Amino acid sequence: MKAAIFKEAGKIEVGELPNPIIKEQTDAIVRVVLACVCGSDLWYYRGISPHPVGSIGHEFIGVVEEVGIEVQTIKKGDFVIAPFAFSDGTCPNCKADFQTACVHGGFFGAGNEGDGGQAEFTRVPLADGTLVVVPGSNFSDETLASLLTLSDVMGTGYHAAVSAGVKQGDTVAVVGDGAVGLSAVLSAKLLGAERIIALSRHPERQALAREFGATDVLASRGNDAIKTIMDLTDGIGVDAVLECVGTNEANQTAFAIARAGAIVGRVGVPHDVEVPATGTFYRNVGMRGGPAPARAYIPALLDDVLEGRINPGRVFDFTTDLDHIQEAYAAMDERRAIKSLIKVGTM
Amino acid sequence: MKAAIFKEAGKIEVGELPNPIIKEQTDAIVRVVLACVCGSDLWYYRGISPHPVGSIGHEFIGVVEEVGIEVQTIKKGDFVIAPFAFSDGTCPNCKADFQTACVHGGFFGAGNEGDGGQAEFTRVPLADGTLVVVPGSNFSDETLASLLTLSDVMGTGYHAAVSAGVKQGDTVAVVGDGAVGLSAVLSAKLLGAERIIALSRHPERQALAREFGATDVLASRGNDAIKTIMDLTDGIGVDAVLECVGTNEANQTAFAIARAGAIVGRVGVPHDVEVPATGTFYRNVGMRGGPAPARAYIPALLDDVLEGRINPGRVFDFTTDLDHIQEAYAAMDERRAIKSLIKVGTM
């Protein structure tokens, strides 16, 4: 089969890999319809995180081709969304809806566990716990793109908002204007935030942030952003902060603009971040978050997509196919694209 | 009037200070009935934190002697509980029930703002926002001691449990067996925890922890404690952790035993604590907490005390009077006492 293959930093090519087969009887084989490139895939592309030569990608939707004999709820022909982590759905962490900590689980396309999803086919371990069947058929391209976001980016933005405890009427700040940050804006809106302050300096991202529900867009960063947000909130700070970057500067901004008692919902993977243990303490500022249990959020967000309440697929502004996978990465790496969609197959 | 006077580290004497007077028309003067010594007062006593020469103490209950003309809800003769921080009750932070971040508030007995409460009388700023009237009269010594704990220690233990999100049926670990840790055990029980693991190596504290609801008492610390608790929870960790110490070791233990998605509720003031930014992230472990908004909790906990559901005054195991204030500190400093009660006046 045709698949994206990570060769080395800066080089991801299309190539041939053996078709995946059922290894465990709880597996399913999925024929990929749409895949996409994640901001975290760029770490490998940029050589920041190591990745072995081989398949890559962890966001995909597709059609079930085959299932192991122990698979009970998923069947051949089902149109499914795969979250970026596979999970058994039955362990204590899955039952608590933290499937990214599943005691038998793992991650797609990270090079050491599950296969990659930027491929014509992929093996899905623990199919019953992992996959969510999408009801219906004949979806528009727009709906398909939105369904694809539930595998990671929209679930991750939503996790930031849920972790930060966003509730009706809140004033929320979103740090980061990547596809996750934009999804976090949309999630804050979905959870009833009244005022959403997005930090963004790119015109096209600012526009999408406003479309997703941002009421204020700030181009400033660091201390300037902190000062502006404190002024906007009469010196009190915001009710919830969604941290969608992961750098130390973004985290310091996030902690500084949180009002007393607020929570910073972190989904940006921390790189050299120092959490101010005392500064947060005296102001009762909390933090939550981590790798999003996307699996937990798919059922509800699926309804939101199918019933037209949200259109998170708007984050895709570059579309290509597997043959041009390197361009999908390059466009994001060079910030020409917010997020790249990859058309792999048909339904 | 007679008052405890901080002279220097290790030296807190009874002495004479001028009777407090109404300075702002929102003040009340309270005649103190009971006061006590807080673990945080020991920092001054031990020379760890600076404190000017003068009045000290921030936990007291008493009778209102006089009020300024702008005071509306509190009147002379009321029997009141004062939380350790004064607050206006009307600013955005107070309305959000984080009164320790009141924009016009401050702290009693810290040497730079409010007067101390280990005295015959004390001035209470912002009386309407700060004080809570206790209904009824003729309280037993036991009830009075429990009411006194609502000014700080019980509210602080309760804040750990609320911050950690303790709910019905949870398995909870409490790090710290001081009066706050013991109050945290009682609070976890009050909020419905099913299993409460208390870390304590002092027999008399272990006994009180069990009386307050601890189901498991561990004498181990650090890595040994982590291993034991992970074994006790089948490798998953606990649903909520209440951190009531503030040292780096206690915090590392707290973060390590939290299950995926759990929150560490911190009330131990952090001293040289490093929060593991990445370690917490990958496991979705959160943290909340800080100086307890004791004011927010007094109304509900007052009912719990008056209706006999909790008896937090059991943390007092040393009683003396103002004349022997130095012994009250020394007993706690030398770990002869969990917490010292000071009988100042009569109702």
Side-chain angles (χ1 to χ4, degrees):
Chain A
M1 67 165 181
K2 200 181 279 189
I5 300 176
F6 179 90
K7 297 277 188 175
E8 60 184 35
K11 199 169 175 190
I12 292 177
E13 295 180 349
V14 67
E16 280 292 321
L17 287 180
N19 275 34
I21 55 166
I22 299 286
K23 284 186 185 166
E24 304 286 339
Q25 292 306 326
T26 48
D27 290 350
I29 303 299
V30 169
R31 181 171 60 76
V32 177
V33 171
L34 292 181
C36 55
V37 180
C38 182
S40 67
D41 290 331
L42 288 183
W43 305 340
Y44 308 128
Y45 184 79
R46 291 172 174 163
I48 299 167
S49 302
H51 192 291
V53 171
S55 72
I56 188 168
H58 55 262
E59 298 171 272
F60 60 97
I61 57 177
V63 178
V64 175
E65 207 52 22
E66 189 186 352
V67 295
I69 54 171
E70 285 175 29
V71 175
Q72 301 190 328
T73 60
I74 302 293
K75 59 184 192 305
K76 184 177 156 83
D78 282 346
F79 179 48
V80 292
I81 302 173
F84 65 92
F86 50 88
S87 56
D88 63 19
T90 55
C91 80
N93 290 336
C94 284
K95 282 189 178 164
D97 270 344
F98 282 92
Q99 290 89 344
T100 42
C102 173
V103 299
H104 300 112
F107 298 87
F108 289 103
N112 44 14
E113 297 165 307
D115 294 341
Q118 294 163 2
E120 287 184 308
F121 297 90
T122 195
R123 182 178 74 91
V124 174
L126 303 166
D128 282 328
T130 304
L131 297 172
V132 179
V133 177
V134 182
S137 56
N138 296 321
F139 304 109
S140 67
D141 282 354
E142 190 181 53
T143 299
L144 285 175
S146 285
L147 292 173
L148 174 62
T149 67
L150 306 191
S151 71
D152 183 346
V153 62
M154 179 60 194
T156 296
Y158 195 72
H159 188 52
V162 169
S163 298
V166 173
K167 59 186 192 310
Q168 197 72 33
D170 272 358
T171 293
V172 176
V174 179
V175 182
D177 66 354
V180 170
L182 294 164
S183 300
V185 169
L186 182 59
S187 300
K189 179 76 180 173
L190 189 60
L191 291 171
E194 195 173 293
R195 184 172 198 179
I196 301 173
I197 304 168
L199 273 62
S200 174
R201 30 173 76 178
H202 302 87
E204 71 286 3
R205 295 173 189 220
Q206 291 178 337
L208 191 51
R210 287 200 187 274
E211 183 184 321
F212 277 175
T215 52
D216 302 74
V217 176
L218 304 184
S220 52
R221 278 193 191 174
N223 287 338
D224 288 345
I226 294 169
K227 191 184 175 311
T228 306
I229 292 171
M230 294 311 283
D231 287 348
L232 283 175
T233 56
D234 297 326
I236 295 297
V238 299
D239 301 313
V241 189
L242 318 191
E243 200 292 305
C244 307
V245 182
T247 62
N248 192 47
E249 183 187 64
N251 274 271
Q252 298 316 317
T253 299
F255 288 118
I257 61 179
R259 66 177 289 166
I263 303 175
V264 173
R266 302 185 298 161
V267 294
V269 178
H271 287 86
D272 298 320
V273 168
E274 206 167 299
V275 178
T278 304
T280 51
F281 184 86
Y282 282 108
R283 293 162 46 239
N284 265 287
V285 168
M287 71 175 194
R288 294 196 78 184
R295 177 61 182 81
Y297 303 131
I298 294 175
L301 293 176
L302 181 57
D303 289 346
D304 290 326
V305 166
L306 295 180
E307 290 162 24
R309 280 187 293 276
I310 56 173
N311 192 6
R314 294 277 292 113
V315 295
F316 295 110
D317 56 354
F318 185 92
T319 300
T320 188
D321 56 24
L322 262 185
D323 289 329
H324 300 85
I325 186 74
Q326 168 100 19
E327 286 172 39
Y329 278 78
M332 285 173 65
D333 178 47
E334 294 158 20
R335 288 190 161 263
R336 286 182 280 119
I338 299 173
K339 195 168 174 76
S340 300
L341 181 73
I342 303 163
K343 291 190 168 185
V344 180
T346 56
M347 282 195 64
Chain B
M1 67 164 182
K2 201 181 280 187
I5 301 176
F6 179 90
K7 297 278 187 174
E8 61 185 34
K11 198 169 174 190
I12 293 176
E13 295 181 349
V14 67
E16 280 293 321
L17 288 178
N19 274 33
I21 56 166
I22 301 285
K23 284 186 184 167
E24 304 285 339
Q25 292 306 325
T26 48
D27 289 350
I29 303 298
V30 169
R31 180 170 60 75
V32 177
V33 172
L34 291 182
C36 55
V37 180
C38 182
S40 65
D41 291 331
L42 289 183
W43 305 340
Y44 309 127
Y45 185 79
R46 290 171 175 164
I48 299 167
S49 301
H51 193 290
V53 172
S55 73
I56 189 168
H58 55 261
E59 297 171 274
F60 60 96
I61 57 176
V63 178
V64 176
E65 210 43 31
E66 189 186 352
V67 296
I69 54 172
E70 287 175 28
V71 175
Q72 300 190 329
T73 60
I74 302 293
K75 59 184 194 304
K76 184 177 156 82
D78 282 345
F79 179 49
V80 292
I81 302 174
F84 65 93
F86 50 87
S87 55
D88 63 19
T90 57
C91 80
N93 290 336
C94 284
K95 282 188 178 165
D97 271 345
F98 282 92
Q99 291 89 345
T100 42
C102 173
V103 299
H104 300 112
F107 297 87
F108 290 103
N112 45 13
E113 298 164 309
D115 294 341
Q118 293 163 4
E120 286 183 309
F121 297 90
T122 197
R123 182 178 75 91
V124 175
L126 303 167
D128 282 327
T130 306
L131 297 171
V132 179
V133 177
V134 181
S137 57
N138 295 322
F139 303 109
S140 66
D141 283 354
E142 190 181 53
T143 300
L144 285 175
S146 285
L147 292 173
L148 174 61
T149 66
L150 306 191
S151 71
D152 184 346
V153 62
M154 180 60 195
T156 296
Y158 195 72
H159 187 51
V162 169
S163 298
V166 173
K167 59 187 192 310
Q168 198 74 33
D170 272 358
T171 293
V172 176
V174 179
V175 182
D177 67 353
V180 171
L182 294 164
S183 299
V185 169
L186 183 57
S187 300
K189 179 76 180 172
L190 189 58
L191 291 172
E194 195 172 292
R195 185 172 196 179
I196 302 172
I197 304 167
L199 273 62
S200 174
R201 33 174 72 177
H202 302 88
E204 71 286 2
R205 295 172 189 221
Q206 292 178 336
L208 191 49
R210 288 198 185 274
E211 183 185 320
F212 277 174
T215 51
D216 303 73
V217 176
L218 304 185
S220 52
R221 278 193 192 176
N223 287 338
D224 287 345
I226 293 169
K227 190 183 176 313
T228 306
I229 291 171
M230 294 311 283
D231 286 347
L232 282 174
T233 56
D234 297 326
I236 296 296
V238 300
D239 301 313
V241 188
L242 318 189
E243 199 293 305
C244 306
V245 182
T247 61
N248 192 46
E249 183 187 64
N251 274 272
Q252 299 315 318
T253 300
F255 288 118
I257 61 179
R259 67 178 287 165
I263 303 175
V264 173
R266 301 185 300 162
V267 294
V269 178
H271 287 86
D272 298 319
V273 168
E274 206 168 300
V275 178
T278 304
T280 51
F281 184 87
Y282 283 108
R283 291 162 48 238
N284 265 287
V285 169
M287 73 175 193
R288 294 195 77 185
R295 177 63 182 79
Y297 303 131
I298 293 174
L301 293 177
L302 180 56
D303 288 346
D304 290 325
V305 167
L306 294 180
E307 290 160 24
R309 279 186 293 276
I310 55 172
N311 192 7
R314 293 278 292 115
V315 293
F316 295 112
D317 56 354
F318 185 91
T319 300
T320 186
D321 56 24
L322 262 185
D323 289 328
H324 299 85
I325 186 74
Q326 168 99 20
E327 286 172 38
Y329 278 78
M332 284 172 65
D333 177 47
E334 294 158 21
R335 289 190 160 265
R336 285 182 281 119
I338 299 173
K339 194 168 175 75
S340 299
L341 181 74
I342 303 162
K343 292 191 167 184
V344 181
T346 54
M347 283 194 62

